[in-house]
Amino acid sequence: MRILIIEDDPKLAQFVARGLRAERFAVDVVGNGREGEEYLRAYPYDLLILDLMLPGISGYEVLRRGRRM
């Protein structure tokens, strides 16, 4: 299973990613909405963990745009 974490708090993002990787999930972590949107376009993900209050574009906007892909 491939998971994308879009979270602007690096400490929190790495904590969650570490736990998921320990369970053998493939995890990518990005810190802002624009970069997250690029990753969503480039790779197929099974799960998205999304912070709603992100720099660049909001998590709501990332989700809205991601549904169109």
Side-chain angles (χ1 to χ4, degrees):
M1 178 178 266
R2 189 175 186 118
I3 301 171
L4 176 61
I5 300 172
I6 307 175
E7 170 60 58
D8 62 333
D9 180 343
K11 199 171 187 178
L12 176 60
Q14 291 306 316
F15 177 77
V16 173
R18 190 176 329 114
L20 291 168
R21 288 178 181 134
E23 295 298 323
R24 306 281 190 230
F25 292 107
V27 180
D28 293 323
V29 177
V30 296
N32 64 64
R34 294 200 190 283
E35 191 176 5
E37 188 178 22
E38 290 173 16
Y39 270 67
L40 285 172
R41 282 192 183 123
Y43 306 104
Y45 288 98
D46 299 300
L47 178 69
L48 172 62
I49 299 175
L50 178 63
D51 181 1
L52 297 177
M53 298 178 66
L54 294 167
I57 60 174
S58 74
Y60 292 112
E61 186 66 17
V62 171
L63 186 59
R64 187 178 67 78
R65 292 178 185 183
R67 286 183 175 174
R68 287 193 221 156
M69 293 178 209

